[in-house]
Every structure is written in C-alpha cells, then in structure tokens.
C-alpha cells in the first residue's frame, strides 16, 4: 500500500483532525470484512475509507475492501478509481479519507505500515487509518482505533534519514511516532430505533460471553508477542553496541596513524628530507555505516502498545472479577439462610 496515492511536492502535514466520526454502517462493513478475511494470524484485511471533512472532524461514511486474490495484471489504482466512480453515480460520498486494516492482538506497527500511512498523509492531508482487532472483539472488547503519524514522523520520512542524528534533530522518539485520534460511532435516529427493537429480540443468554472470566489465553498471547518484540529489540540493541565499539576502535586507529605520520615527518625533517605528502585519512579509514534506528523505534512503540493493552485488559478483567464476586455474595447469603432455616425445622 506504500505506492498508492503519491503526489509530487506535497505540502507540509499538520494535525488538523481531532475527531473521527464513523458511521455504524462503516463499522459493520469493516467487522464483516475483517472477520471473513483477517481472522487468521497470516491474512490481513485492508480497505479504503470514504467520507468528508467538516472543520476538525473527519466523517467516515462509507468504505470498500481491497480484493484478496490479485492477478498479475490487476491494478489497485484503477480498481479504486472505478469503485469511487460507481459510488459517485449512486450519490454516495466518494472522497478518499484513509484506509483500514485488521490486526491480531494489537500487533499492527511495522515499517510497511508507517510507509503506507506516510504516503496517505502526504497525498491526503486529513487521512487516518482505522485498526480493527477481530480477536479482542470476540472476547467482548470492541477494538477499533484511529491513528495518524505525527508531524515529526512525517518530516523524518520526507528527509528519508533514519539515523540517530536525524531522530535527535526532529525530536522524535517511539512515544511521538504516531498518535491516536478520538473516535466516535455515529448512527442515525432510524438506526438507533432499529437497534432498540433488535435488542428486544436478542435472547438473554447472548450477552453472557462478555462476562467470560477465562483471561489466561488472551493474556498469554499478549505476553508472548511482547516477549518476541523484546527479543528483536535486544538484537537490534546489540548491533548498535557493536557499531559503537567499531567506531571507537576506528577513532583510536586514526589517532595512532596520525601520531605515527607526525613522528615520521619529524624524523624526515631532522634528516633534511621532504615530509610525507598529505593524505586523505578518510580513504585509509572508510566510515562505518550507521545502522538505521527506525526498526528499533518501531519495536519500542509496539512494546509500549502491548504494555498499554495488557494493562487495560487486566483492569477490565479485574472489573469482571469484582462484578462476579458481587453477584455471588447474594447467592451465598441466600444459601446460608436456607441452611439455617432447615436446621431450625
């Protein structure tokens, strides 16, 4: 997706969106598409968001998915333009305002994801990305989030320099790599009335799975993903430490080389000989390439996201436990009263 919607001489990106309003129809379409194609750990469901911008509010009113099985001659840009032309004919909002993607256990951050969002934000200034997690939704937690890159991250991608000095210049860290935009789900009055009627038709036992207290499997998956990310970050840290040791060693060798040449020139001058010609030291000691710092920063951001999700999940699980304890107390007191009455009889 990093090659979509490119425009030359894009203006500087500024955060002009502070609220994303998503229609209930769009949420239903995203959920249906992600559960059909993005429910496994390998497949990822993606699609296009359509809508309009009203002041600082981005209204997402429609969407359509990307096809899963693509032929060699399939052109994604032509497909998008054809879909938007058809929607325009039936008087549906056809302005491109972003894209959506499914994820597993919140593990959506990657260099490809950032490149895709950078391409969207440089071509469509107000664009956002919606991240939907079907597994967490099955556990009773609707996970639908809206994200945008920060201006510092956009400026870093424009410079295409991901070294340590560039990160320091742009004042960029994993905490300021992207930002979450507040998201609200909007329904019309007719849809709200329909939902009220449907809620009366739903059996009472349908909501029991939302009080499921078996949290060990979900927590285990989060911790396993967190452990994998920490191991990858440790490997990148070791590579950077090796680079720093190589730089220090090269600096010491440069100093020894310069001192040796100075001593030799002094001895040659004492013998009345001409000094050695000046030599470019950078040709003798080639600079060591600096390892890019983007991947470790993305891993750090993913680790922070996993920690936040584990904390949120544990707090919600504790709330369920306290609720179940409160529900069991009246039952235990009622059983105690029944036992006392039976003994008296």
């Amino acid at each position: 997706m990093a090659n979509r919607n490119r425009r030359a001489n894009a203006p500087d990106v500024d955060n002009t969106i502070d609220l994303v309003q998503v229609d209930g129809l769009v949420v239903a379409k995203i959920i249906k598409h992600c559960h059909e194609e993005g429910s496994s750990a390998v497949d990822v469901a993606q699609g296009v968001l359509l809508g309009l911008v009203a002041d600082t509010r981005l209204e997402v009113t429609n969407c359509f998915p990307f096809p899963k099985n693509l032929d060699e001659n399939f052109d994604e840009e032509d497909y998008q333009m054809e879909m938007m032309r058809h929607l325009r004919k039936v008087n549906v909002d056809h302005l491109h305002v972003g894209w959506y993607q499914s994820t597993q256990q919140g593990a959506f951050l990657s260099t490809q994801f950032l490149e895709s969002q950078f391409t969207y934000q440089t071509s469509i200034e107000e664009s956002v990305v919606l991240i939907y997690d079907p597994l967490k939704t099955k556990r009773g937690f609707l996970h639908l989030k809206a994200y945008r890159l920060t201006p510092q991250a956009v400026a870093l991608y424009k410079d295409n320099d991901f070294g340590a000095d560039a990160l320091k210049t742009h004042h960029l860290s994993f905490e300021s790599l992207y930002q979450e935009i507040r998201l609200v789900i909007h329904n019309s009055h007719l849809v709200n009335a329909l939902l009220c009627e449907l809620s009366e038709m739903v059996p009472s036992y349908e909501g029991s799975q939302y009080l499921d207290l078996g949290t060990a499997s979900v927590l285990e998956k989060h911790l396993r993903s967190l452990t994998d990310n920490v191991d990858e970050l440790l490997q990148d840290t070791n590579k950077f430490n090796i680079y720093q040791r190589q730089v220090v060693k090269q600096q010491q060798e440069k100093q020894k080389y310069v001192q040796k040449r100075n001593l030799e020139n002094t001895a040659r001058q004492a013998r009345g000989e001409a000094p050695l010609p000046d030599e470019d030291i950078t040709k003798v000691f080639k600079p060591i390439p600096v390892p890019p710092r983007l991947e470790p920063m993305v891993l750090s951001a993913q680790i922070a996201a996993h920690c936040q999700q584990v904390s949120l999940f544990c707090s919600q699980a504790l709330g369920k436990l306290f609720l179940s304890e409160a529900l069991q107390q009246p039952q235990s007191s009622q059983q105690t009263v029944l036992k006392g009455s039976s003994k008296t009889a």
Side-chain angles (χ1 to χ4, degrees), residues 4 12 17 52 59 75 116 128 146 155 157 160 172 189 197 213 219 228 272 285 326-327 331:
R4 300 181 186 136
D12 293 336
I17 300 298
L52 51 92
E59 299 181 5
D75 192 342
S116 299
V128 298
Y157 265 95
N160 198 22
L172 186 65
H189 298 298
E197 292 183 2
L213 301 179
L219 189 60
D228 294 339
F285 299 94
L327 293 175
Q331 295 179 359

Side-chain angles (χ1 to χ4, degrees), residues 322-338:
F322 280 113
L323 179 60
S324 63
E325 181 183 5
L327 293 175
Q328 289 176 359
Q329 285 179 355
Q331 295 179 359
S332 60
S333 60
Q334 185 178 4
Q335 292 176 358
T336 304
V337 172
L338 292 176

